[in-house]
Amino acid sequence: MVRHLITTVPWWDTVDLLAAHVVGPLVAADPALAATMDAWIDDDDLWVARAALLHQLRFKADTDTERLFGYCLRRSGHPDFFIRKAIGWALREYAKTDPDAVRDFLVREQRRLAPLSVREALRSIGA
């Protein structure tokens, strides 16, 4: 049902709200749903992929960093602004919990990430 809501007249404001406040809590409550996120990140629909990128926004210390960083890399070459912005936002939000992990990731993978994603990721922690 949530996927239907994401793909029906999608835009960033509704997708972001659903990702952080509906999808994320559902995955947290049922970790088996992480497999659904693994499928969503590769979806051709950019809004579905954006929801996968953003579903851990509120997880803080419970963020699956391997999944977060992996999703960012899997979508790093995506041409759409909304995907590149979501990558940066997801990293920026996690940087509030573990800035060193995000800095290390950015140093290691900066050439693979769009400048917009890197700028967004660094907004709360600096270079």
Side-chain angles (χ1 to χ4, degrees), residues 6-122:
I6 289 169
T7 58
T8 304
V9 192
W11 196 239
W12 66 267
D13 53 352
T14 53
V15 171
D16 295 357
L17 182 73
L18 288 167
H21 297 283
V22 178
V23 177
L26 286 170
V27 172
D30 182 0
L33 290 174
T36 300
M37 296 300 96
D38 292 344
W40 281 19
I41 194 62
D42 293 320
D43 202 281
D44 290 336
D45 186 306
L46 76 96
W47 299 108
V48 172
R50 183 176 168 102
L53 280 163
L54 299 178
H55 84 276
Q56 295 190 85
L57 276 182
R58 300 178 54 194
F59 282 21
K60 300 186 188 305
D62 292 328
T63 297
D64 180 337
T65 55
E66 184 176 329
R67 182 166 271 116
L68 171 64
F69 295 155
Y71 284 6
C72 291
L73 291 177
R74 283 162 69 177
R75 287 311 204 158
S76 63
H78 199 283
D80 191 86
F81 167 85
F82 289 104
I83 293 294
R84 295 189 317 260
K85 183 86 168 183
I87 290 168
W89 183 20
L91 292 170
R92 181 177 72 241
E93 197 61 32
Y94 184 60
K96 294 174 185 175
T97 299
D98 191 346
D100 292 334
V102 172
R103 276 192 198 97
D104 291 346
F105 174 74
L106 292 172
V107 166
R108 196 171 56 250
E109 305 295 349
Q110 183 171 8
R111 286 180 283 146
R112 294 179 63 185
L113 299 167
L116 170 64
S117 300
V118 174
R119 269 193 319 277
E120 286 297 314
L122 293 172

